[in-house]
Amino acid sequence: MQRTKTLSFKLVVLLLVACLIIPLLPEVTVKADNEEIYFTGFEDDVTTGWYKPWNGDFSITNEKSYWGDKSLKFTGRQNSWDSPAINLYNMIKQNGAGTYMVQMSVLVDDLADGGEYGHLLIRGNQENSFITLRSNGNYYYKLTSTVKLVENEWYYFTGSFIVTNDDISATSGLFNLCFDFITPTANQNIYIDNVRVVKMDPLQVIPTAETLYVGDRLILDVNRHNYTTYTSSNPSVATVDSNGIVLAIASGRTTITVNYNNIETAECVVV
């Protein structure tokens, strides 16, 4: 009699916000079936949608750029939260609930004590529910970890978050994407470049069922190729490597978990 192991799939969406910051790396490759809903490198001299919620002023400059010839230059900061911002609420409401990835390149040319910490942030307001992105009762959430910056070096921030239907139920609201936490100095300029917002397809794993024997290998087909990790809850039954290759070791049961950026997981139960 043949011994079979069945592979079934279920998708679990976790209401967590997590992030990854990578300095000095090219843009993350996004599959064609993911939808880019916004991008600017400021090459066309357009700042439509960008504004200054508090102090400071911005303009397009060719002094520095992460990619191309131009960037957005922000001057006159007085507080650590002063930053140019773009409100993502309407574009996200138009595209619906789901997982969104944001990317932004940032350079700071003068830092207190030669080094400071910064991160990307989404700020909201009490007029929209902002349920998923709410943090400790406040209407904001960090999209990326807080990292120590070096003067005049570009950092490429990448963060992901999940938006529910409740988050975009209001007619209008604020999902202000901005850069935060840097102490202002008298001569400080912040440069922003290559801002991208992508609506990601739901995390999927293929196949949903497969026959495995001891010693067999199964290559999982996952529709996310960046910031994806694989773990086995019982490696004595089956192991999985960093490329999503499952190796059957012995009879039994284990769960292979595929994790995208700590905000979405898909589970393959191997029996």
Side-chain angles (χ1 to χ4, degrees), residues 68-80:
D69 299 318
K70 300 176 182 178
S71 64
L72 187 69
K73 179 181 179 180
F74 188 63
T75 60
R77 300 177 71 242
Q78 299 180 28
N79 303 287
S80 62

Side-chain angles (χ1 to χ4, degrees), residues 17-22 117-121 142-149 157-159 179-181:
V17 174
C19 54
L20 179 65
I21 173 172
I22 299 181
Y117 292 83
H119 53 245
L120 295 190
L121 192 74
K142 291 195 304 180
L143 286 176
T144 66
S145 57
T146 304
V147 65
K148 187 171 184 178
L149 306 180
F157 291 83
T158 296
F179 182 68
D180 188 55
F181 214 58

Side-chain angles (χ1 to χ4, degrees), residues 35-268:
E35 183 181 1
E36 181 180 274
I37 65 172
Y38 177 80
F39 175 79
T40 182
F42 303 103
E43 299 298 306
D44 54 4
D45 296 318
V46 174
T47 58
T48 302
W50 288 84
Y51 69 105
K52 50 175 184 177
W54 294 281
N55 303 292
D57 203 0
F58 60 79
S59 60
I60 294 177
T61 181
N62 58 7
E63 295 174 6
K64 300 179 186 293
S65 66
Y66 177 82
W67 196 269
D69 299 318
K70 300 176 182 178
S71 64
L72 187 69
K73 179 181 179 180
F74 188 63
T75 60
R77 300 177 71 242
Q78 299 180 28
N79 303 287
S80 62
W81 55 83
D82 288 336
S83 168
I86 183 168
N87 187 3
L88 306 181
Y89 187 87
N90 288 339
M91 66 178 76
I92 289 178
K93 183 177 178 66
Q94 181 179 354
N95 286 275
T99 300
Y100 288 84
M101 176 179 67
V102 296
Q103 300 170 322
M104 181 188 293
S105 302
V106 177
L107 179 148
V108 185
D109 63 2
D110 189 68
L111 294 165
D113 300 322
E116 275 280 348
Y117 292 83
H119 53 245
L120 295 190
L121 192 74
I122 284 188
R123 286 192 175 96
N125 62 355
Q126 296 182 3
E127 282 69 39
N128 59 275
S129 58
F130 214 52
I131 293 172
T132 304
L133 303 179
R134 187 176 299 164
S135 175
N136 299 322
N138 298 312
Y139 293 86
Y140 65 85
Y141 208 100
K142 291 195 304 180
L143 286 176
T144 66
S145 57
T146 304
V147 65
K148 187 171 184 178
L149 306 180
V150 176
E151 290 181 0
N152 289 303
E153 289 192 10
W154 284 102
Y155 284 79
Y156 193 67
F157 291 83
T158 296
S160 301
F161 61 100
I162 292 175
V163 175
T164 69
N165 287 321
D166 287 335
D167 290 326
I168 50 177
S169 59
T171 303
S172 62
L174 290 180
F175 280 1
N176 279 345
L177 174 63
C178 54
F179 182 68
D180 188 55
F181 214 58
I182 295 293
T183 302
T185 66
N187 300 314
Q188 184 181 85
N189 300 301
I190 294 180
Y191 298 84
I192 293 174
D193 202 0
N194 278 33
V195 182
R196 169 177 282 131
V197 181
V198 175
K199 185 178 183 183
M200 308 291 288
D201 285 342
L203 183 62
Q204 296 180 0
V205 177
I206 299 174
T208 59
E210 186 67 36
T211 300
L212 294 178
Y213 300 95
V214 173
D216 281 354
R217 285 177 169 82
L218 173 67
I219 302 175
L220 298 177
D221 184 6
V222 181
N223 65 337
R224 305 279 172 84
H225 300 289
N226 297 286
Y227 315 135
T228 302
T229 59
Y230 305 85
T231 57
S232 173
S233 64
N234 190 353
S236 64
V237 172
T239 61
V240 61
D241 66 14
S242 60
N243 296 311
I245 301 176
V246 180
L247 173 62
I249 303 296
S251 60
R253 181 184 181 92
T254 187
T255 298
I256 306 296
T257 300
V258 183
N259 185 300
Y260 167 70
N261 212 14
N262 292 328
I263 66 168
E264 280 186 302
T265 64
E267 295 180 349
C268 299

